[in-house]
Amino acid sequence: MTVHIGAPVGRIAETVLMPGDPYRARWAAETFLESAELVNETRGMLGFTGTWRGHPVTIQGSGMGMPSLSIYANELIRDYGAKTLIRIGSCGGMQSDVGIRDVILAMTASSINTPSTGIFRELNYAPHADFGLLRAAADAAAESAAKVHVGGIYSSDVFYDERPDLNEQMVRHNILGVEMETAELYILAARYSVRALSVLTVSDHLQTGEQLPSEERERSFGDMVEIALKAAFA
Ligand code: GMP
């Protein structure tokens, strides 16, 4: 076990899906995994390990924001030997052709600040997805009913943003959606030579103000989980 994950070493699979919301970790484990068992509940950040089509998989909540995700991703990679980390989360749509319920595969993640900004100093590192995972997810997405977009996203470190001009610049530069975790996930994966990808469902839209109705969330999020699992084991 680690400071933030109570599972014994060996109870976490090499492939980890990471939703922000721990209750969504439980829902995804119950819906998609066979023989899922609760392996972590430290601080209520639920983690489950089971199998998907015979492959061991852990679904571990990351919490919201890059500092929280960074704690779980660091421990999963460095202490438990995770090799493939796929964020399954929600984001706000930023382009007019990106609708709610659509799925975004995040090729890159722009940001103004991540927990790693301090080490890069004047460098402007470009956090990017693992290409093999991204390609496999794009192939899996072609079979799914969801409309799928591949491109850059924006990992913000605030939800209640006092700088709407930043969102405007992101929209102007063709960024598809905004969320709060991916840039740091991609930086950590590169640092430790493991694979990472974010598969996101558009839950709200910045321009139209539309929001995914709560009764539809599960079905829409299901497409994303399936794409993530197929990509991990392609
Ligand atoms: O509600 C915030 C959580 O959902 C964070 O974990 C974000 O990754 C994600 N999220 C979904 N939609 C949005 C959005 O419109 N803006 C931001 N900043 N985060 C979002």
Side-chain angles (χ1 to χ4, degrees), residues 73-108:
N74 262 288
E75 293 180 10
L76 288 165
I77 297 168
R78 293 161 64 183
D79 299 297
Y80 290 98
K83 300 281 183 240
T84 298
L85 295 91
I86 304 184
R87 165 165 157 73
I88 48 172
S90 59
C91 71
M94 292 185 119
Q95 300 294 329
S96 53
D97 66 335
V98 172
I100 57 164
R101 302 178 195 85
D102 289 1
V103 170
I104 293 176
L105 306 179
M107 187 157 70
T108 63

Side-chain angles (χ1 to χ4, degrees), residues 19-195:
D21 179 350
Y23 292 139
R24 196 165 305 140
R26 176 158 62 202
W27 168 78
E30 285 170 354
T31 310
F32 290 92
L33 301 188
E34 291 109 46
S35 344
E37 280 178 28
L38 180 72
V39 293
N40 182 51
E41 52 184 334
T42 305
R43 291 178 184 247
M45 197 56 77
L46 306 179
F48 298 83
T49 297
T51 60
W52 180 78
R53 299 187 180 170
H55 304 285
V57 176
T58 294
I59 306 184
Q60 169 65 53
S62 71
M64 289 183 285
M66 291 183 267
S68 181
L69 172 125
S70 167
I71 289 173
Y72 294 100
N74 262 288
E75 293 180 10
L76 288 165
I77 297 168
R78 293 161 64 183
D79 299 297
Y80 290 98
K83 300 281 183 240
T84 298
L85 295 91
I86 304 184
R87 165 165 157 73
I88 48 172
S90 59
C91 71
M94 292 185 119
Q95 300 294 329
S96 53
D97 66 335
V98 172
I100 57 164
R101 302 178 195 85
D102 289 1
V103 170
I104 293 176
L105 306 179
M107 187 157 70
T108 63
S110 301
S111 66
I112 49 167
N113 196 32
T114 77
S116 297
T117 301
I119 63 170
F120 287 125
R121 297 161 68 97
E122 64 271 51
L123 267 172
N124 222 333
Y125 179 76
H128 52 278
D130 176 85
F131 178 65
L133 273 182
L134 178 62
R135 180 164 57 182
D139 288 345
E143 297 167 8
S144 101
K147 184 174 170 196
V148 180
H149 309 263
V150 182
I153 62 156
Y154 171 38
S155 295
S156 174
D157 56 5
V158 278
F159 186 81
Y160 296 107
D161 204 340
E162 295 289 333
R163 290 279 310 274
D165 57 309
L166 294 173
N167 287 340
E168 281 162 26
Q169 289 304 337
M170 292 288 94
V171 171
R172 239 183 114 205
H173 291 86
N174 217 18
I175 290 299
L176 302 176
V178 53
E179 49 85 88
M180 302 178 68
E181 292 80 16
T182 297
E184 180 67 3
L185 175 65
Y186 286 1
I187 292 168
L188 288 172
R191 189 177 306 154
Y192 294 108
S193 301
V194 300
R195 307 193 301 166

